[in-house]
Amino acid sequence: MRKINKILSIIKSMKLGVILLVMLGVTSVAGTMIPQNESVQFYAQNYGSKFNNLLQLLELDNVYYSWWYAFIVTLLIINLTTCIITRLPSVVRHMKSVPDGRGALIEKNLLFEVEAEGVIENLSAHMGFKKLKEIDENIYASRKNNIGYMGSWMLHLGILLIIVFFALGNRFAYETNLYGVPGTMGQLENTDLFMKINSFDVKFRDDFTAEQYITNIDIINNKQEVLKIGDVSVNSPLRYNHYSFYQNSMGYAVNLKVYEGEEKIHDDVFYQSEVYVSNGKKFAVQFMNFYPDMEMTGEGPKTITPYFNNPYMLYAVFYEGYMADMNVVPCNSSIIYREFSFTVDRPQEFTLINIRKDLFTPFAFLGALILIAGIMVTFYLVPVTLYAVKTKETALFYICSKKNNEMIKIKLLLKYDDFKRGEQSNGLE
């Protein structure tokens, strides 16, 4: 039995909870800093082969769905749940308990002494306490802010709800991405809804960093009826029927025409990072990078501004499964490789919209409200007990609080002074 109690005390300990929260925070930062769910080639190209191997081993490319992240979350849920369940009876007992006065009636807790008869009840009410109740011979007590005992418990409950429903949302929420240039329409996967991109605008600051992305979209059903029209921008999603449309990112696109001999075999929008593969898989072109306003430097090509003043595209050509060519060429160029040739023109920006339907979000929001309420209760509704000890001619008032004792004493003394001034103005003193 002792071993079980020892294990239970470790599981529900605050120390373990803090350690798990820190671990969760650090790993979540990694999941935010490292792009998630990209191709192996993307990580190898951007992080190098050695780090890419470590990244794949630790599943840092898919942090929130990795086994170790789920393990940390599960341990934290167990820690918070056991803490909440085991502490609730104690919290309720404290809220319902009757003050006994032991340890409270000492000199440092003394507030003041009242000499007048018949003012004790009025004085306690003036200081915000309910009617004094006799708890011992000539000792009376009243308590306020009993809800304060719930503060810490509410904090734990709020954190638990946020973590549980955030985890459930990550696991079971509907999520998909659609991208395209203005005029593009795509279907939301496994639904009868469609999204059409009407326009896309990027606002730049004076230093050419992006200030805002704004995409205007139509939400359309399978009968081609427009259900909603609106703008999607960073930190301002468009919502429809529990679906949230988020502005995720942007990139560049060109129009790609591919010829085999004299025959045109492809003519369509070509998006950054995409690969076009011909029928038979003999010829392929990869859109490696794009420079809207290119300048060649000693370190390679870079873009001066985000505007299409001097647009160049970095491409790679594959022939029969092997890389055959890589180069940076201006838009409106024509590239020939053996029997194939291609041209790129009409550069433009494309937008990427993340669509999410998470029925667990309201419950996570409820957890956040409980967490905020717990913070408010903990700091602003501190339980306070007022004692009055009657003697033959006077009554001594004491105060007892587990924290902020001096501050509470000052506030109550100010109320006492206010009470005395009121009594004097009424001619009672």
Side-chain angles (χ1 to χ4, degrees):
M1 189 67 181
R2 287 182 178 179
K3 288 185 178 180
I4 295 174
N5 289 335
K6 188 175 181 180
I7 292 171
L8 186 62
S9 65
I10 293 172
I11 290 174
K12 70 177 183 179
S13 68
M14 181 180 292
K15 185 177 180 180
L16 177 62
V18 170
I19 291 172
L20 292 171
L21 277 172
V22 170
M23 292 174 65
L24 199 64
V26 171
T27 53
S28 296
V29 168
T32 302
M33 298 290 289
I34 300 172
Q36 301 290 289
N37 301 312
E38 298 288 350
S39 65
V40 176
Q41 292 80 5
F42 171 87
Y43 296 109
Q45 180 181 341
N46 288 276
Y47 297 100
S49 58
K50 289 185 178 180
F51 184 76
N52 178 47
N53 292 334
L54 179 65
L55 189 143
Q56 299 297 325
L57 179 66
L58 299 178
E59 299 183 48
L60 293 175
D61 61 330
N62 196 16
V63 168
Y64 304 112
Y65 292 90
S66 62
W67 67 267
W68 50 264
Y69 189 86
F71 180 71
I72 294 172
V73 171
T74 302
L75 279 182
L76 184 57
I77 290 172
I78 293 172
N79 169 263
L80 291 169
T81 302
T82 53
C83 180
I84 288 168
I85 293 173
T86 55
R87 286 189 60 198
L88 183 58
S90 174
V91 170
V92 174
R93 188 166 58 252
H94 275 92
M95 289 180 65
K96 292 183 176 181
S97 63
V98 177
D100 58 12
R102 287 178 294 181
L105 310 183
I106 56 178
E107 187 65 29
K108 71 174 184 179
N109 290 329
L110 179 64
L111 273 176
F112 44 76
E113 183 176 6
V114 180
E115 296 180 356
E117 285 287 335
V119 299
I120 294 176
E121 290 298 337
N122 292 336
L123 178 56
S124 64
H126 185 80
M127 291 191 294
F129 290 86
K130 294 181 180 179
K131 185 177 180 180
L132 290 163
K133 294 182 179 179
E134 188 171 8
I135 59 173
D136 206 342
E137 185 177 359
N138 292 323
I139 299 177
Y140 298 81
S142 180
R143 179 181 285 168
K144 71 175 182 177
N145 298 340
N146 278 10
I147 189 68
Y149 290 110
M150 292 286 292
S152 176
W153 188 86
M154 291 169 68
L155 283 171
H156 285 80
L157 178 61
I159 294 171
L160 176 64
L161 290 177
I162 291 170
I163 292 172
V164 167
F165 290 110
F166 176 78
L168 288 173
N170 267 346
R171 285 288 177 180
F172 302 110
Y174 172 87
E175 186 170 13
T176 189
N177 293 308
L178 288 176
Y179 64 90
V181 296
T184 303
M185 186 166 71
Q187 184 173 11
L188 277 63
E189 188 178 6
N190 299 321
T191 75
D192 58 359
L193 294 176
F194 295 79
M195 184 191 81
K196 181 183 177 184
I197 301 170
N198 297 318
S199 63
F200 177 55
D201 183 36
V202 184
K203 296 185 182 298
F204 296 101
R205 301 183 182 91
D206 292 339
D207 61 356
F208 301 126
T209 57
E211 181 178 7
Q212 185 60 278
Y213 305 133
I214 304 172
T215 306
N216 182 267
I217 64 171
D218 291 347
I219 303 171
I220 303 169
N221 62 17
N222 55 4
K223 298 178 181 178
Q224 298 301 301
E225 297 171 334
V226 177
L227 304 174
K228 190 166 185 176
I229 303 174
D231 288 338
V232 183
S233 57
V234 178
N235 298 324
S236 182
L238 179 69
R239 305 189 192 278
Y240 170 75
N241 195 25
H242 302 297
Y243 289 92
S244 295
F245 294 75
Y246 297 95
Q247 179 67 57
N248 188 287
S249 63
M250 59 83 66
Y252 295 98
V254 296
N255 191 73
L256 174 69
K257 297 184 181 73
V258 182
Y259 299 85
E260 185 174 4
E262 298 295 325
E263 180 187 0
K264 184 192 291 185
I265 59 175
H266 180 80
D267 185 355
D268 204 354
V269 179
F270 194 31
Y271 295 96
Q272 192 173 350
S273 299
E274 276 191 345
V275 178
Y276 163 77
V277 181
S278 66
N279 291 334
K281 300 183 179 179
K282 189 175 183 179
F283 176 81
V285 182
Q286 183 177 4
F287 191 160
M288 303 286 289
N289 209 341
F290 189 81
Y291 309 94
D293 192 5
M294 197 199 78
E295 178 182 71
M296 186 60 72
T297 68
E299 299 177 352
K302 71 173 186 178
T303 190
I304 304 171
T305 73
Y307 305 113
F308 298 118
N309 296 327
N310 188 31
Y312 272 68
M313 168 187 169
L314 173 63
Y315 72 88
V317 168
F318 297 83
Y319 190 81
E320 294 184 342
Y322 296 94
M323 181 181 286
D325 184 30
M326 180 186 291
N327 202 358
V328 180
V329 296
C331 287
N332 300 315
S333 293
S334 180
I335 298 95
I336 301 173
Y337 189 83
R338 298 199 178 184
E339 69 270 33
F340 293 92
S341 64
F342 64 92
T343 61
V344 291
D345 56 17
R346 301 208 302 270
Q348 57 186 315
E349 296 153 337
F350 76 86
T351 180
L352 190 149
I353 303 295
N354 174 260
I355 302 104
R356 186 177 175 87
K357 183 179 183 181
D358 187 355
L359 297 177
F360 299 102
T361 299
F363 300 102
F365 182 71
L366 174 63
L369 292 179
I370 293 174
L371 176 64
I372 294 170
I375 294 172
M376 300 295 288
V377 167
T378 300
F379 288 99
Y380 295 102
L381 295 176
V382 179
V384 185
T385 305
L386 180 70
Y387 294 92
V389 181
K390 287 186 177 181
T391 62
K392 290 183 179 180
E393 298 180 353
T394 65
L396 299 172
F397 277 81
Y398 296 82
I399 191 74
C400 183
S401 173
K402 286 190 175 181
K403 58 184 178 180
N404 301 336
N405 210 52
E406 290 302 315
M407 186 180 296
I408 292 170
K409 282 179 70 174
I410 292 171
K411 289 182 179 179
L412 292 180
L413 286 171
L414 290 173
K415 288 188 176 183
Y416 174 59
D417 290 339
D418 180 64
F419 178 80
K420 285 197 299 182
R421 285 194 295 270
E423 290 288 288
Q424 290 170 354
S425 65
N426 292 328
L428 297 177
E429 287 191 11

